PDB file of all heavy atoms in Angstrom:
ATOM      1  N   LYS A 178      98.807 171.312 117.705  1.00  0.00           N
ATOM      2  CA  LYS A 178      99.879 170.330 117.858  1.00  0.00           C
ATOM      3  C   LYS A 178     101.184 170.961 117.355  1.00  0.00           C
ATOM      4  O   LYS A 178     101.450 170.988 116.156  1.00  0.00           O
ATOM      5  CB  LYS A 178      99.511 169.109 117.002  1.00  0.00           C
ATOM      6  CG  LYS A 178     100.346 167.913 117.252  1.00  0.00           C
ATOM      7  CD  LYS A 178      99.835 166.700 116.484  1.00  0.00           C
ATOM      8  CE  LYS A 178     100.813 165.572 116.666  1.00  0.00           C
ATOM      9  NZ  LYS A 178     101.137 164.860 115.466  1.00  0.00           N
ATOM     10  N   THR A 179     101.948 171.520 118.261  1.00  0.00           N
ATOM     11  CA  THR A 179     103.197 172.185 117.863  1.00  0.00           C
ATOM     12  C   THR A 179     104.267 171.141 117.618  1.00  0.00           C
ATOM     13  O   THR A 179     104.289 170.103 118.291  1.00  0.00           O
ATOM     14  CB  THR A 179     103.736 173.064 119.021  1.00  0.00           C
ATOM     15  OG1 THR A 179     102.640 173.529 119.760  1.00  0.00           O
ATOM     16  CG2 THR A 179     104.575 174.187 118.520  1.00  0.00           C
ATOM     17  N   ALA A 180     105.178 171.451 116.702  1.00  0.00           N
ATOM     18  CA  ALA A 180     106.392 170.638 116.640  1.00  0.00           C
ATOM     19  C   ALA A 180     107.114 170.854 117.963  1.00  0.00           C
ATOM     20  O   ALA A 180     107.028 171.936 118.547  1.00  0.00           O
ATOM     21  CB  ALA A 180     107.259 171.109 115.483  1.00  0.00           C
ATOM     22  N   SER A 181     107.807 169.853 118.443  1.00  0.00           N
ATOM     23  CA  SER A 181     108.587 170.075 119.666  1.00  0.00           C
ATOM     24  C   SER A 181     109.719 171.036 119.317  1.00  0.00           C
ATOM     25  O   SER A 181     110.093 171.186 118.148  1.00  0.00           O
ATOM     26  CB  SER A 181     109.161 168.749 120.178  1.00  0.00           C
ATOM     27  OG  SER A 181     110.128 168.281 119.266  1.00  0.00           O
ATOM     28  N   SER A 182     110.252 171.675 120.341  1.00  0.00           N
ATOM     29  CA  SER A 182     111.342 172.607 120.044  1.00  0.00           C
ATOM     30  C   SER A 182     112.513 171.849 119.410  1.00  0.00           C
ATOM     31  O   SER A 182     113.215 172.392 118.559  1.00  0.00           O
ATOM     32  CB  SER A 182     111.770 173.359 121.301  1.00  0.00           C
ATOM     33  OG  SER A 182     112.014 172.466 122.339  1.00  0.00           O
ATOM     34  N   ALA A 183     112.687 170.581 119.786  1.00  0.00           N
ATOM     35  CA  ALA A 183     113.772 169.790 119.188  1.00  0.00           C
ATOM     36  C   ALA A 183     113.494 169.521 117.708  1.00  0.00           C
ATOM     37  O   ALA A 183     114.399 169.592 116.863  1.00  0.00           O
ATOM     38  CB  ALA A 183     113.940 168.479 119.944  1.00  0.00           C
ATOM     39  N   GLN A 184     112.227 169.218 117.378  1.00  0.00           N
ATOM     40  CA  GLN A 184     111.887 168.989 115.960  1.00  0.00           C
ATOM     41  C   GLN A 184     112.080 170.267 115.148  1.00  0.00           C
ATOM     42  O   GLN A 184     112.565 170.232 114.023  1.00  0.00           O
ATOM     43  CB  GLN A 184     110.426 168.542 115.829  1.00  0.00           C
ATOM     44  CG  GLN A 184     110.182 167.098 116.209  1.00  0.00           C
ATOM     45  CD  GLN A 184     108.691 166.764 116.216  1.00  0.00           C
ATOM     46  OE1 GLN A 184     107.854 167.559 116.659  1.00  0.00           O
ATOM     47  NE2 GLN A 184     108.352 165.585 115.723  1.00  0.00           N
ATOM     48  N   ALA A 185     111.687 171.400 115.734  1.00  0.00           N
ATOM     49  CA  ALA A 185     111.854 172.674 115.034  1.00  0.00           C
ATOM     50  C   ALA A 185     113.343 172.942 114.813  1.00  0.00           C
ATOM     51  O   ALA A 185     113.776 173.236 113.695  1.00  0.00           O
ATOM     52  CB  ALA A 185     111.210 173.813 115.824  1.00  0.00           C
ATOM     53  N   GLN A 186     114.126 172.810 115.868  1.00  0.00           N
ATOM     54  CA  GLN A 186     115.563 173.074 115.751  1.00  0.00           C
ATOM     55  C   GLN A 186     116.203 172.162 114.691  1.00  0.00           C
ATOM     56  O   GLN A 186     117.010 172.620 113.879  1.00  0.00           O
ATOM     57  CB  GLN A 186     116.248 172.884 117.113  1.00  0.00           C
ATOM     58  CG  GLN A 186     117.773 172.855 117.084  1.00  0.00           C
ATOM     59  CD  GLN A 186     118.412 174.077 116.439  1.00  0.00           C
ATOM     60  OE1 GLN A 186     117.832 175.166 116.423  1.00  0.00           O
ATOM     61  NE2 GLN A 186     119.605 173.895 115.871  1.00  0.00           N
ATOM     62  N   GLU A 187     115.827 170.892 114.707  1.00  0.00           N
ATOM     63  CA  GLU A 187     116.430 169.945 113.760  1.00  0.00           C
ATOM     64  C   GLU A 187     116.163 170.394 112.315  1.00  0.00           C
ATOM     65  O   GLU A 187     117.068 170.417 111.478  1.00  0.00           O
ATOM     66  CB  GLU A 187     115.845 168.552 114.015  1.00  0.00           C
ATOM     67  CG  GLU A 187     116.538 167.466 113.248  1.00  0.00           C
ATOM     68  CD  GLU A 187     115.830 166.111 113.386  1.00  0.00           C
ATOM     69  OE1 GLU A 187     114.778 166.028 114.057  1.00  0.00           O
ATOM     70  OE2 GLU A 187     116.356 165.159 112.808  1.00  0.00           O
ATOM     71  N   MET A 188     114.912 170.749 112.032  1.00  0.00           N
ATOM     72  CA  MET A 188     114.587 171.177 110.668  1.00  0.00           C
ATOM     73  C   MET A 188     115.239 172.516 110.320  1.00  0.00           C
ATOM     74  O   MET A 188     115.744 172.704 109.220  1.00  0.00           O
ATOM     75  CB  MET A 188     113.069 171.261 110.480  1.00  0.00           C
ATOM     76  CG  MET A 188     112.657 171.756 109.119  1.00  0.00           C
ATOM     77  SD  MET A 188     113.297 170.736 107.745  1.00  0.00           S
ATOM     78  CE  MET A 188     111.974 169.527 107.610  1.00  0.00           C
TER      79      MET A 188
END
Side-chain angles (χ1 to χ4, degrees):
K178 192 174 174 225
T179 329
S181 68
S182 51
Q184 283 173 320
Q186 168 55 26
E187 189 187 2
M188 177 58 89

